């Protein structure tokens, strides 16, 4: 640039102007000259024109500068207040710019105004106007806050809480270092600006926070101290900072001139409170789980199902014990098959007790006793509101058995539509509660039991073959009592000892002859029937000796002493006609056997179509009375 042109430019710019002025050439992208005010503002200490492109000073607002300079060159003048310029230290300035074309050249003379300082000057001017209109003067207000800041300088600097002052218009008057650190705004950023619009403009949920509702600004109207412990201030980077604060009004000469706000960052407290809530929720969940586990265990104790030993020394029992010892230490699923009353649950408990999960509970699910529409909830649990009656979250049996063993008794009763979900849990060890979309992981060993032929159910389409193979990793057959009849004496003595303790009748015994009778009986009800008969006889015995003669009354009567000729003749005639003569006791025994057979065929159903009463041709009330008399529970015969 020539000396004559330099002199001309200096005359245009005014080296002594307090306003920052620069000359640029947008076509060659250069900053050609700058007056002293501009050099001070932009930290220019290099020889002009600058070698670096002017566009390097424009940051992200380059597109706005392009359109702005195009307007100035075309219209010979332009103005904007939304541009940003970087100084030589790469610090941004929000500026107000007035551009004027230099003669007919491609050069532009730009007048730059720092918007932050301009707004502070306007704020002071507004206070001056208010003073002239009779309100508190800006000098006095400024002096009030300067005095507060000066008198408390040490406290403001040392305090860990943020402290800032506001005038009656809501403009910031001073800020302590802690407030700068917490909010990310500098004193220069905040002083003279509306604090509410800067960092208190929005609620924590993102909704707008009108200044009319702000407790801090309420101090300006009611003159009261306001304390709030659950709001947010907004950091310069956009992060919401949970705070508690106290707004205290400031009076001068009896007039309200502003307020001082003391606030505390409570993010750590909030995190600690959330951790405490999470811990309490976990404790409550564990408490609920333990209560349910205890409930199930109490049910087991009341039902006296927690047998400790498998009684017997027959080859069948020896084989069974060997199988238990082989599979118990593993995590393999086990399928126990056998007739009702053969002790399938006792086998499951022995497997659980001999494994690595014995310190965790064995949770039993009687699949035959669960209503069809509640299977999924019983197995996997539900969340509150999942269905009518779901008033709270409830874990399912799989969740309760986590780390332990789940015993699925009567597994053949599980509905076909639920079998696929059960298969998924067995394969992936994952499930969701009813009404919940959160996938939970579980570590459960499954032992299943059935008195049905699952192979036939598979062929009939009532049981999934893939689920069968998943359960039948290690099959065990529970042998009926008639196939291990040599164990009857041991079992009888075992149940006798338990019954004597249960009914407080010590000294009761079974004569050897009566043990022989027990071994001759076929035991259609298996071990459960033997236990029931022993208990019943302990209750009714009067001489502390158990008698079982009635068990064999269905056999041909023995001849005792001499026979009456008429009776003998009648007997012979009856035998020739193929009809056996039965005593009243034998007839009663036959009725009992027929009732048991009918219950088995009707699957435990007493009355109604297809019920045992209909099969026997008697009234349901008559059959119910006989079953009560014989001590037979129809529920033991229920099958699908």
């Amino acid at each position: 640039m020539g000396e004559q042109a330099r002199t001309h430019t200096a005359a245009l710019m005014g080296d002594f102007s307090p306003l920052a002025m620069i000359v640029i050439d947008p076509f060659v992208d250069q900053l050609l000259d700058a007056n002293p005010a501009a050099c001070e503002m932009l930290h220019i200490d290099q020889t002009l024109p600058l070698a670096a492109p002017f566009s390097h000073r424009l940051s992200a607002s380059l597109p706005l500068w392009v359109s702005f300079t195009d307007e100035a060159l075309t219209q010979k003048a332009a103005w904007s207040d939304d541009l940003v310029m970087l100084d030589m230290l790469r610090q941004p300035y929000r500026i107000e710019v007035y551009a004027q074309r230099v003669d007919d050249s491609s050069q532009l003379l730009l007048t730059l105004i720092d918007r932050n300082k301009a707004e502070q000057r306007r704020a002071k001017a507004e206070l001056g106007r208010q003073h002239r209109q009779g309100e508190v003067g800006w000098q006095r207000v400024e002096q009030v806050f300067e005095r507060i800041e000066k008198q408390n300088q040490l406290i403001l600097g040392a305090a860990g809480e943020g402290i800032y002052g506001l005038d009656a218009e809501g403009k910031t008057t001073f800020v302590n270092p802690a407030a700068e650190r917490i909010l990310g705004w500098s004193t220069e950023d905040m002083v003279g600006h509306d604090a509410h619009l800067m960092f208190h403009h929005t609620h924590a949920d993102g909704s707008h926070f009108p200044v009319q509702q702000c407790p801090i600004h309420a101090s300006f109207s009611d003159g009261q101290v306001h304390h709030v412990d659950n709001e947010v201030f907004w950091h310069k980077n956009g992060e919401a900072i949970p705070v508690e604060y106290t707004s205290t009004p400031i009076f001068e000469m009896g007039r309200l001139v502003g307020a001082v706000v003391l606030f505390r960052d409570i993010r750590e407290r909030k995190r600690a409170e959330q951790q405490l809530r999470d811990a309490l929720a976990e404790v409550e969940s564990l408490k609920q789980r333990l209560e349910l586990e205890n409930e199930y265990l109490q049910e087991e104790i009341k039902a006296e199902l927690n047998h400790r030993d498998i009684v017997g020394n027959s080859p069948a029992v020896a084989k069974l014990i060997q199988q238990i010892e082989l599979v118990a230490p593993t995590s393999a699923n086990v399928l126990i098959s056998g007739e009702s009353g053969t002790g399938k649950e006792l086998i499951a408990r022995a497997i659980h007790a001999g494994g690595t999960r014995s310190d965790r509970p064995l949770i039993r699910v009687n699949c035959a006793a669960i209503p069809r529409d509640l299977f999924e909830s019983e197995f996997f649990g539900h969340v509150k509101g999942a269905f009518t009656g779901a008033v709270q979250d409830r874990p399912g049996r799989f969740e309760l058995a986590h780390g332990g063993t789940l015993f699925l008794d009567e597994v053949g009763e599980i509905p076909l539509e639920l079998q696929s979900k059960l298969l998924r849990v067995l394969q992936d060890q994952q499930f969701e509660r009813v009404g919940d979309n959160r996938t939970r992981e579980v570590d459960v060993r499954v032992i299943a039991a059935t008195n049905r032929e699952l192979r036939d159910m598979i062929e009939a389409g009532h049981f999934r073959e893939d689920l069968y193979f998943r359960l039948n990793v290690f099959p065990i057959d529970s042998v009926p009592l008639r196939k291990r009849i040599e164990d009857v004496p041991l079992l009888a003595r075992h149940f006798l000892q338990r019954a004597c303790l249960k009914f407080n009748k010590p000294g009761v015994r079974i004569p050897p002859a009566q043990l022989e009778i027990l071994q001759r009986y076929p035991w259609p009800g298996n071990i459960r029937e033997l236990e029931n008969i022993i208990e019943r006889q302990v209750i009714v015995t009067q001489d502390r000796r158990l008698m079982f003669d009635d068990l064999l009354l269905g056999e041909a009567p023995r001849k005792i002493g001499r026979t009456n000729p008429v009776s003998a003749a009648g007997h012979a005639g009856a035998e020739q006609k193929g009809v056996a003569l039965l005593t009243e006791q034998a007839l009663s025994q036959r009725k009992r056997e027929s009732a048991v057979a009918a219950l088995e065929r009707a699957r435990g159903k007493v009355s109604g179509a297809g019920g045992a009463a209909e099969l026997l041709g008697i009234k349901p009330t008559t059959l119910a009375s006989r079953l009560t008399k014989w001590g037979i529970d129809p529920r033991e015969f229920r099958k699908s």
Side-chain angles (χ1 to χ4, degrees):
M1 195 173 184
E3 184 63 31
Q4 183 177 1
R6 176 80 176 84
T7 303
H8 177 64
T9 301
L12 288 173
M13 295 172 59
D15 284 345
F16 301 102
S17 172
L19 299 178
M21 306 175 72
I22 62 175
V23 176
I24 67 168
D25 188 333
F27 287 98
V28 297
D29 195 16
Q30 274 194 315
L31 172 62
L32 302 177
D33 208 348
N35 73 343
C39 290
E40 180 181 357
M41 175 182 175
L42 300 177
H43 297 91
I44 299 174
D45 56 2
Q46 303 176 21
T47 304
L48 296 171
L50 295 178
F54 175 68
S55 58
H56 287 186
R57 312 264 70 78
L58 304 180
S59 184
S61 63
L62 179 60
L64 295 176
W65 276 96
V66 171
S67 61
F68 173 73
T69 54
D70 182 65
E71 178 186 355
L73 291 171
T74 303
Q75 303 294 333
K76 295 189 177 181
W79 175 87
S80 175
D81 64 350
D82 59 357
L83 298 173
V84 176
M85 180 179 286
L86 302 178
D87 62 17
M88 300 302 290
L89 303 177
R90 306 296 294 175
Q91 295 298 312
Y93 281 87
R94 296 187 306 133
I95 57 174
E96 183 178 332
V97 186
Y98 179 80
Q100 186 174 2
R101 186 171 179 177
V102 179
D103 298 332
D104 293 327
S105 69
S106 61
Q107 298 177 5
L108 294 176
L109 174 64
L110 305 181
T111 302
L112 312 177
I113 299 173
D114 185 332
R115 285 187 59 190
N116 290 340
K117 294 183 177 179
E119 289 171 0
Q120 292 178 18
R121 289 194 293 270
R122 292 190 186 101
K124 288 186 177 182
E126 177 63 25
L127 286 174
R129 281 192 294 273
Q130 293 175 3
H131 172 66
R132 289 191 294 274
Q133 294 170 2
E135 299 182 11
V136 178
W138 64 266
Q139 297 95 339
R140 178 173 294 172
V141 173
E142 190 174 68
Q143 289 170 4
V144 169
F145 286 100
E146 283 180 355
R147 186 172 69 249
I148 293 173
E149 187 174 8
K150 186 177 296 183
Q151 292 175 349
N152 300 279
Q153 191 66 47
L154 291 176
I155 296 175
L156 292 174
E161 293 84 3
I163 304 173
Y164 64 92
L166 297 174
D167 62 23
E169 296 298 318
K171 301 292 192 299
T172 309
T173 57
F174 69 86
V175 180
N176 79 330
E180 292 181 295
R181 174 177 49 79
I182 295 171
L183 298 174
W185 300 95
S186 67
T187 298
E188 291 75 16
D189 292 332
M190 296 176 65
V191 171
H193 292 83
D194 190 313
H196 187 84
L197 295 178
M198 180 172 283
F199 55 80
H200 202 197
H201 46 76
T202 307
H203 290 293
D205 60 2
S207 61
H208 177 59
F209 193 172
V211 68
Q212 297 85 358
Q213 299 176 8
C214 178
I216 296 174
H217 280 251
S219 298
F220 303 149
S221 58
D222 60 19
Q224 302 294 316
V225 175
H226 291 269
H227 179 76
V228 177
D229 60 4
N230 193 27
E231 282 189 9
V232 297
F233 286 168
W234 293 89
H235 193 276
K236 185 177 182 179
N237 62 13
E239 177 188 1
I241 305 171
V243 295
E244 62 176 3
Y245 62 81
T246 301
S247 175
T248 304
I250 302 298
F251 293 90
E252 175 70 12
M253 303 294 291
R255 301 187 64 122
L256 183 64
V257 296
V260 172
V261 180
L262 183 145
F263 66 94
R264 182 178 292 107
D265 180 352
I266 58 173
R267 280 177 289 191
E268 286 300 324
R269 192 186 83 185
K270 288 285 186 181
R271 277 192 284 268
E273 289 175 352
Q274 185 59 48
Q275 290 174 353
L276 178 60
R277 283 193 293 270
D278 293 342
L280 290 174
E282 184 177 359
V283 168
E284 183 61 29
S285 176
L286 290 173
K287 176 185 174 185
Q288 185 184 44
R289 176 172 173 174
L290 288 172
E291 286 175 349
L292 287 172
E293 288 182 3
N294 182 62
E295 179 183 333
Y296 294 132
L297 290 173
Q298 289 298 325
E299 290 176 2
E300 302 282 314
I301 293 170
K302 289 178 181 178
E304 292 197 350
L305 296 173
N306 192 19
H307 301 322
R308 297 180 179 273
D309 301 307
I310 295 176
V311 178
N313 53 17
S314 63
V317 171
K319 178 182 178 182
L320 176 62
I321 292 174
Q322 183 185 23
Q323 289 178 306
I324 292 173
E325 290 175 348
L326 286 173
V327 76
T330 73
S331 60
N333 295 335
V334 179
L335 179 61
I336 307 170
S337 302
E339 299 176 8
S340 294
T342 55
K344 295 187 290 294
E345 184 172 351
L346 178 60
I347 297 172
R349 292 188 179 282
I351 294 172
H352 173 72
T356 57
R357 301 169 181 262
S358 57
D359 58 334
R360 294 290 299 145
L362 180 143
I363 301 298
R364 175 178 179 268
V365 184
N366 184 2
C367 301
I370 301 175
R372 192 178 189 87
D373 55 345
L374 293 181
F375 259 101
E376 189 171 2
S377 174
E378 281 292 322
F379 273 31
F380 310 124
H382 61 257
V383 296
K384 181 179 179 180
F387 51 82
T388 303
V391 295
Q392 63 180 1
D393 291 359
R394 180 180 174 87
R397 304 295 179 96
F398 268 94
E399 206 166 339
L400 290 172
H402 178 64
T405 305
L406 185 67
F407 177 48
L408 300 179
D409 199 7
E410 304 297 350
V411 70
E413 309 299 330
I414 298 177
L416 188 62
E417 60 270 18
L418 186 66
Q419 292 177 18
S420 58
K421 295 185 178 181
L422 176 60
L423 179 63
R424 180 207 165 191
V425 180
L426 297 181
Q427 290 175 334
D428 304 333
Q429 298 281 286
Q430 294 180 338
F431 69 96
E432 293 87 30
R433 289 182 178 180
V434 177
D436 194 8
N437 56 11
R438 172 189 165 193
T439 299
R440 302 169 187 265
E441 294 188 355
V442 69
D443 175 22
V444 172
R445 179 185 192 174
V446 173
I447 300 176
T450 181
N451 61 3
R452 306 183 64 182
E453 183 51 65
L454 295 185
R455 281 290 189 181
D456 294 341
M457 293 183 66
I458 292 171
E459 293 178 3
H462 298 315
F463 201 85
R464 292 178 63 105
E465 188 174 28
D466 47 5
L467 176 59
Y468 171 76
F469 287 124
R470 179 65 63 175
L471 294 172
N472 196 35
V473 176
F474 193 92
I476 293 179
D477 288 327
S478 182
V479 179
L481 187 53
R482 63 181 175 275
K483 293 186 179 180
R484 43 177 290 210
I485 205 71
E486 60 268 44
D487 290 330
V488 169
L490 284 175
L491 287 167
R493 294 189 184 100
H494 174 74
F495 292 138
L496 174 61
Q497 184 181 8
R498 288 166 48 85
C500 289
L501 291 173
K502 180 177 180 180
F503 302 120
N504 194 25
K505 297 186 72 171
V508 179
R509 64 186 183 87
I510 304 175
Q514 297 300 313
L515 286 176
E516 293 180 4
I517 293 176
L518 293 179
Q519 286 185 284
R520 290 166 54 190
Y521 183 66
W523 299 110
N526 291 298
I527 298 174
R528 186 182 294 121
E529 184 183 7
L530 173 59
E531 182 178 15
N532 290 344
I533 287 176
I534 296 292
E535 288 190 352
R536 184 162 63 249
Q537 291 301 318
V538 169
I539 293 172
V540 301
T541 184
Q542 299 297 320
D543 58 1
R544 300 191 181 277
R545 289 189 305 164
L546 302 190
M547 305 299 291
F548 304 102
D549 294 324
D550 291 349
L551 283 176
L552 302 178
L553 289 178
E555 296 182 356
R558 300 175 182 177
K559 294 181 180 179
I560 302 175
R562 299 181 64 178
T563 304
N564 184 288
V566 177
S567 299
H571 190 176
E575 288 180 348
Q576 289 175 358
K577 294 178 181 178
V579 179
L581 293 177
L582 298 178
T583 64
E584 186 65 27
Q585 290 179 328
L587 182 60
S588 176
Q589 179 63 23
R590 285 291 178 89
K591 288 180 180 180
R592 183 184 186 280
E593 293 171 353
S594 296
V596 169
L599 285 171
E600 289 178 345
R601 185 177 301 179
R603 297 167 184 167
K605 184 177 180 182
V606 175
S607 60
E614 183 182 81
L615 295 175
L616 293 171
I618 60 177
K619 294 180 179 180
T621 54
T622 301
L623 178 56
S625 176
R626 291 178 182 177
L627 294 177
T628 302
K629 175 183 175 183
W630 293 327
I632 297 176
D633 188 350
R635 291 175 295 183
E636 297 178 359
F637 298 88
R638 287 181 182 171
K639 304 176 184 177
S640 175

